[in-house]
Amino acid sequence: YIILMIQNVLTVLEARLSSKRPKVAFSFGLSDAGRIGPFNTDITLKFTKVFTNFGQAYNPNTGIFTAPVRGVYYFRFSAMNSNVNGPLGVQVYLNGKRVSWNYGRDSNWYGRATNAFIFQLEKGDVVYLVLPVGYDIFDHNYNVTTFSGFLLFPV
């Protein structure tokens, strides 16, 4: 009887611990549309091809990741364009403030940019990528433009 009680207590504790550990991870491709841009205004990139979205913290309708809990998060993106109509440009924003400006242009007609960040976020903080005025970006079924992130640990 005592062993059965201990097993029950351990099962309850394990369930409580696992439910308190938030599961946050996402990975998206941009689209199958080919070239996007250039535009005459900055646009938030909306990554719509879902590879995974544990916790639903990334919203493909808005292009915005919203931190569900206070913690340390890892983000990365990879982008490409064909440079036919303009250079590649991607900006990383945290709570409405640009924290990174990434661009690429190659003499072989392809621009590439990639970057990664670790941010300590408060619950409700937002992270998103912006295509700036005059720049373009490219994606198709090979998923050459992607955005991913996950919670490293809560704090």
Side-chain angles (χ1 to χ4, degrees), residues 44-57:
T44 299
L45 291 169
K46 297 175 183 173
F47 289 76
T48 59
K49 293 165 48 175
V50 182
F51 301 123
T52 189
N53 197 10
F54 290 103
Q56 306 300 307

Side-chain angles (χ1 to χ4, degrees), residues 30 39 44 47 51-53 57 59 82-83 86 119 132 137 139 143 149:
L30 185 59
F39 298 106
T44 299
F47 289 76
F51 301 123
T52 189
N53 197 10
N59 183 336
S82 62
N83 279 324
F119 294 131
I137 198 163
D139 200 8
N143 304 308

